[in-house]
Amino acid sequence: MRPAVAGSRRVSGVLLYAALVVAALTAASCSNTDEAKTPAPNGDATAASAPQDLAALKRQAGIEPCPRSSAKVEAIDDGLPDVTLSCLGGGREVDLAGLRGRPTVVNLWAQWCGPCRSEVPLFQRLHEQAGGRVQVIGIDFDDPQAGRAIAFAGELGMTYPQLADPDTLLKGSVGVPGLPVTLFVAADGTIAGRQIGPVDSYGQLIQLVSDDLGVRL
């Protein structure tokens, strides 16, 4: 009987190890949950849904207007798709394929994503230090709670332009296995690099900008 018990313990140990590995991989990226999509209680500022309320929250957060894009520019192979997204909290719509002329870092995030919170300050720093050399754009992805998203941005000081993709239009065309995802887009519109998962440091971020976009900061 003892050998059988020992064998059982070995199997249990393997199963436990496998479960820990799966948990660790899951923690490295985010997926949405029903709880995260539950509307905020009445009276909570993050529950704002009327356009004027969202616009007021956006102004308070200091989020900059969304960039202009050309709807007449056709999408290119290995480039951003011909998808038009709304500006988070109101403003001009943006045709992603029409974002040309300047190297651009596009970060997909959501207010329900823990790893997104840790890397957001890095993109804000890039936005502040890159000047006109590199454009930084955020996309609130798979998130129906615009009020919560704007509150999240305000809390973390995200002043760079923010788009919204609550219907996950980019999931198939860009490839989003989980959040966060960062795209490094060359001035001609080509996606020169992808970062799946969080950026760990500012040093890593500017190295990616240098490697993928050829811009040294």
Side-chain angles (χ1 to χ4, degrees), residues 31-153:
S31 59
N32 208 342
T33 64
D34 291 337
E35 181 180 356
K37 294 183 178 181
T38 302
N42 291 334
D44 187 340
T46 60
S49 58
Q52 61 270 23
D53 295 336
L54 294 175
L57 285 176
K58 181 175 180 176
R59 287 193 300 271
Q60 184 177 0
I63 301 174
E64 298 175 10
C66 288
R68 297 184 182 277
S69 63
S70 175
K72 297 180 180 180
V73 175
E74 295 184 359
I76 60 175
D77 293 340
D78 300 322
L80 290 174
D82 187 13
V83 171
T84 299
L85 297 180
S86 61
C87 192
L88 181 64
R92 68 174 66 92
E93 294 184 332
V94 175
D95 187 331
L96 296 182
L99 289 173
R100 305 284 176 86
R102 187 162 38 143
T104 301
V105 175
V106 181
N107 177 246
L108 281 71
W109 62 276
Q111 49 83 17
W112 44 261
C113 170
C116 298
R117 175 178 289 272
S118 67
E119 70 170 5
V120 159
L122 307 178
F123 293 101
Q124 179 62 32
R125 182 177 174 183
L126 177 65
H127 172 64
E128 294 171 357
Q129 296 186 354
R133 301 177 64 192
V134 177
Q135 179 175 225
V136 180
I137 298 174
I139 299 180
D140 182 30
F141 181 81
D142 194 13
D143 185 3
Q145 298 294 324
R148 287 183 174 181
I150 295 173
F152 176 94

Side-chain angles (χ1 to χ4, degrees), residues 7-49:
S8 175
R9 287 175 179 173
R10 284 195 294 270
V11 171
S12 298
V14 170
L15 292 176
L16 176 59
Y17 175 77
L20 290 174
V21 170
V22 171
L25 292 174
T26 302
S29 62
C30 291
S31 59
N32 208 342
T33 64
D34 291 337
E35 181 180 356
K37 294 183 178 181
T38 302
N42 291 334
D44 187 340
T46 60
S49 58

Side-chain angles (χ1 to χ4, degrees), residues 184 194-195 199 203-214:
F184 297 86
R194 287 178 171 83
Q195 170 69 22
V199 177
Q204 180 190 4
L205 179 57
I206 61 174
Q207 187 64 54
L208 289 169
V209 169
S210 176
D211 293 344
D212 295 334
L213 301 180

